[in-house]
Amino acid sequence: MKYLKNLGMSFLYILVSILILTFIITLLSYFNIMSDKVVSIIKIIIPIISMLIGGFYIGKRSLKKGFLEGLKLGSIFSIILIIFNYLALDNSFKFKYLLFYIILIISSILGSMIGINRKKQ
């Protein structure tokens, strides 16, 4: 039960950080502080940073093998995104999407490895 709570909280951290960062970028774009090209690049970076934050949280809460916890988190989140993209948005499969999901999983693994090393003994 504790593991599901940690997993749920890490998903919450991911979603909240995506919402906050997207809101900030939207405001900067609305007031023409950032160009459209920069915004399109940051739209790719936001989920990566969010997965890093979620992986960091689950790494701090895990007891050992932080890379495995990050792999689980990144895989579950990527599967949810794949299901959403192909069922709800009706997108076709492209190699760049697969590459993006792999990058998300790697950033989650990296965040959990950093989180487990920052844990107080």
Side-chain angles (χ1 to χ4, degrees):
M1 189 66 174
K2 185 177 178 182
Y3 177 73
L4 290 177
K5 181 181 175 186
N6 289 339
L7 193 65
M9 285 300 293
S10 61
F11 275 122
L12 187 67
Y13 273 101
I14 290 170
L15 293 177
V16 167
S17 63
I18 285 176
L19 288 174
I20 290 172
L21 291 172
T22 303
F23 181 72
I24 291 170
I25 296 304
T26 303
L27 284 177
L28 293 176
S29 175
Y30 180 75
F31 292 116
N32 290 330
I33 297 174
M34 296 173 65
S35 68
D36 291 336
K37 193 167 192 170
V38 174
V39 170
S40 66
I41 293 171
I42 292 179
K43 281 190 331 188
I44 296 171
I45 295 174
I46 286 175
I48 296 170
I49 292 172
S50 299
M51 290 298 287
L52 196 69
I53 293 170
F56 183 81
Y57 178 80
I58 203 162
K60 273 188 88 102
R61 300 289 182 211
S62 65
L63 300 174
K64 57 183 177 178
K65 296 185 181 178
F67 68 93
L68 192 59
E69 298 298 323
L71 180 66
K72 290 177 193 176
L73 177 70
S75 299
I76 292 171
F77 195 78
S78 294
I79 289 171
I80 291 171
L81 285 178
I82 288 169
I83 291 171
F84 181 74
N85 277 333
Y86 296 126
L87 293 180
L89 299 178
D90 199 28
N91 287 340
S92 62
F93 180 76
K94 294 181 182 174
F95 181 72
K96 66 179 181 179
Y97 294 144
L98 180 64
L99 187 63
F100 181 69
Y101 297 137
I102 291 171
I103 291 172
L104 286 180
I105 292 171
I106 290 171
S107 68
S108 175
I109 291 170
L110 183 65
S112 65
M113 289 168 64
I114 293 170
I116 203 160
N117 286 326
R118 295 288 179 194
K119 186 168 60 169
K120 293 181 181 178
Q121 300 296 334

